C-alpha cells in the first residue's frame, strides 16, 4: 500500500530530488531539491558507517520523492514510525540529514533563518570550543596556545589513550598534567573520556580531575550505563556530559530521570536532525541540564547546531571541528563553504548566522567534484581505528 502525505496546500513545495554526497574527510552531505526550485542541505555523517547511511537513503528517497517539503513534522514522524523498526544510529542519522535539509528549505522559502522558525534567538552569538591533542593526547600546551591565538577561550581533549578494563593508576597522572598545562594558559578545558575508561578507572580519574577546574567530563562511561553515570555524578562535583551515542529523546530519558547528566550532547547528525535536537534541548531544560551539541563533523551539521543553540536558553557551548585531527588541509570545516567568515571565531564566540535557512552557502560545484573524485579513486569510507591491548584483547576507541 502506498503511503501518501497528509499535508498538501496551495503553496506546497514538492520534493523532486534527494541526493547524498560522500566527501572527504569523512562526511556525508544531503541535498534535497523541490519542484519549485528550492534547495536544502543536510548532513548525515555517521563516522565509520557511511555505506549503511547511503543504503538507508535509498529507502528514504523512494519513500519521500513527491512529498511536500513543508511538511517537516509529518515526514519526520513517517520516516521514524512507519517502518515498524525504528531508532538506532543508522536510521536516525539518515533521518537527521533529511530533516536538516527540509528546515534549510523552509527557511529559504520563507526568507528567514531557521532559528527564527524555532521561536527566535535568545542570544546573538554562541560560545565554541576547538579540539587539541588528537586520539593520542600530547603536545597540548602548544595546541592550546594556538587555539587561543585563533580566538578560542575553551578547548576539548581526550583524557587517555586505550586502557584495560582495570589498569595502572599511573596511566591517569598524565591526564591531570595535561589539564594543568591548558588551564595555565587561562583556557577552559573539557575532558573527553570517550567511553574508553571503564567504571573502576573512571571513578579514579574523575576524582583526580575534580579539583582541576575542568569545564566538564564527557562520556566518562559507555552510553549503555545510565545508572553508573548517576552513581559517578554523586561521587564528583565536575559536570558530567554525554549524548553523542544517544539517538533520540527516548534514549536521553533515563539519563534525565536518573539525574545522570549535567550537560546533554546530542549530535544533530545522529539524533534525528534539528527537529529532535530542539525537542531534546527542551526536555533537558526541564531537568536543569545544559545543552552542548556534539559536532566533530562538517559545516552543515555545525550550522544546524547553531540554529538550535541560539534559540534555546539552556544552550551552553558548541563543539567545532575546525582543524580537528580527523580533518586535513584540503578537507576541513571551511572547505565546502562559499563564505567561511560565517563561522569566524572572535573572543571565544561565533556570531549567529543571519542568512535564510541554515545561513550558510555550500559550494555545490566543489561538493560534486570532490564526491566524484572520491568515488572514481576508489577511496574507502573512513573507519575508526581498532585498538588492542598488550594481551591482544579489543579495547574501546
Amino acid at each position: 500500500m502506498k503511503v501518501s502525505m497528509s499535508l498538501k496546500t496551495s503553496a506546497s513545495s514538492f520534493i523532486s530530488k534527494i541526493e547524498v554526497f560522500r566527501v572527504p574527510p569523512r562526511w556525508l552531505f544531503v541535498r534535497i531539491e523541490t519542484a519549485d526550485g528550492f534547495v536544502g542541505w543536510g548532513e548525515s555523517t555517521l563516522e565509520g558507517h557511511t555505506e549503511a547511511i547511503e543504503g538507508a537513503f535509498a529507502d528514504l528517497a523512494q519513500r519521500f520523492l513527491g512529498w511536500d517539503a513543508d511538511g517537516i513534522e509529518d515526514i519526520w514522524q513517517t520516516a521514524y514510525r512507519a517502518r515498524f523498526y525504528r531508532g538506532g544510529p543508522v536510521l536516525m542519522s539518515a533521518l537527521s540529514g533529511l530533516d536538516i535539509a527540509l528546515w534549510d528549505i523552509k527557511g529559504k522559502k520563507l526568507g528567514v533563518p531557521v532559528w527564527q522558525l524555532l521561536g527566535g534567538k535568545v542570544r546573538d552569538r554562541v560560545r565554541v570550543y576547538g579540539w587539541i591533542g588528537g586520539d593520542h593526547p600530547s603536545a597540548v600546551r602548544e595546541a592550546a596556545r594556538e587555539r587561543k591565538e585563533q580566538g578560542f577561550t575553551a578547548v576539548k581533549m581526550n583524557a587517555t589513550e586505550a586502557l584495560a578494563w582495570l589498569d595502572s593508576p599511573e596511566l591517569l597522572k598524565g591526564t591531570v598534567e595535561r589539564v594543568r598545562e591548558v588551564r595555565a594558559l587561562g583556557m577552559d578545558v573539557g575532558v573527553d573520556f570517550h567511553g574508553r575508561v571503564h567504571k573502576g578507572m573512571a571513578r579514579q580519574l574523575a576524582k583526580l580531575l575534580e579539583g582541576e577546574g575542568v569545564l566538564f567530563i564527557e562520556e566518562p562511561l559507555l552510553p549503555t550505563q545510565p545508572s553508573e553515570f548517576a552513581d559517578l555524578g554523586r561521587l564528583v562535583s565536575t559536570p558530567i556530559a554525554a549524548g553523542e551515542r544517544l539517538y533520540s529523546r527516548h534514549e536521553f530519558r533515563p539519563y534525565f530521570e536518573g539525574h545522570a547528566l549535567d550537560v546533554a550532547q546530542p549530535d544533530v547528525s545522529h539524533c534525528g536532525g534539528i527537529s529532535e535536537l530542539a525537542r531534546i534541548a527542551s526536555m533537558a531544560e526541564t531537568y536543569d541540564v545544559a545543552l552542548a551539541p556534539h559536532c566533530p563533523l562538517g559545516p552543515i551539521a555545525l550550522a544546524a547546531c547553531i540554529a538550535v543553540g541560539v534559540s534555546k536558553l539552556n544552550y551552553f557551548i558548541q563543539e567545532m571541528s575546525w582543524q580537528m585531527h580527523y580533518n586535513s588541509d584540503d578537507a576541513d570545516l571551511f572547505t565546502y563553504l562559499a563564505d567561511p567568515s560565517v563561522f569566524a571565531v572572535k573572543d571565544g564566540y561565533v556570531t549567529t548566522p543571519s542568512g535564510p535557512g541554515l545561513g550558510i552557502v555550500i559550494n555545490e560545484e566543489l561538493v560534486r567534484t570532490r564526491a566524484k573524485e572520491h568515488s572514481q579513486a576508489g577511496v574507502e569510507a573512513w573507519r575508526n581505528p581498532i585498538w588492542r591491548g598488550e594481551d591482544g584483547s579489543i579495547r574501546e576507541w
Side-chain angles (χ1 to χ4, degrees), residues 89-204:
V90 173
L91 297 181
M92 293 305 288
S93 295
L95 174 54
S96 295
L98 180 71
D99 181 83
I100 293 167
L102 293 175
W103 279 101
D104 192 29
I105 286 172
K106 177 159 284 195
K108 290 172 178 175
K109 182 176 179 179
L110 298 177
V112 297
V114 169
W115 51 258
Q116 198 72 276
L117 302 175
L118 297 174
K121 59 183 179 178
V122 296
R123 55 180 55 85
D124 292 319
R125 54 184 187 157
V126 294
R127 195 181 183 197
V128 293
Y129 65 83
W131 263 91
I132 60 172
D135 270 343
H136 306 277
S138 62
V140 297
R141 182 191 295 271
E142 295 78 7
R145 183 178 290 112
E146 182 178 350
R147 289 301 194 187
K148 189 172 185 178
E149 292 171 354
Q150 291 172 340
F152 289 95
T153 59
V155 294
K156 186 170 78 177
M157 63 182 179
N158 279 310
T160 67
E161 297 191 48
L163 293 174
W165 210 286
L166 205 60
D167 220 322
S168 171
E170 288 295 316
L171 298 175
L172 305 179
K173 292 182 178 179
T175 308
V176 177
E177 293 170 2
R178 288 188 290 273
V179 166
R180 288 174 177 172
E181 288 182 14
V182 176
R183 295 287 293 138
L185 297 174
M187 302 280 284
D188 283 326
V189 58
V191 180
D192 190 355
F193 289 34
H194 215 250
R196 296 174 183 170
V197 190
H198 290 277
K199 184 170 65 173
M201 299 295 287
R203 288 163 60 90
Q204 295 178 63

Side-chain angles (χ1 to χ4, degrees), residues 240-269:
I240 293 177
E244 68 188 85
R245 289 188 276 184
L246 303 176
Y247 308 113
S248 71
R249 61 193 183 279
H250 308 292
E251 296 192 19
F252 274 93
R253 179 180 175 181
Y255 281 86
F256 293 153
E257 292 183 348
H259 308 144
L261 289 182
D262 302 293
V263 183
Q265 294 178 306
D267 188 308
V268 73
S269 286

Side-chain angles (χ1 to χ4, degrees), residues 198-220:
H198 290 277
K199 184 170 65 173
M201 299 295 287
R203 288 163 60 90
Q204 295 178 63
L205 184 53
K207 287 293 285 185
L208 287 172
L209 292 174
E210 188 170 18
E212 301 298 331
V214 171
L215 199 59
F216 56 81
I217 56 174
E218 178 175 333
E219 266 200 342

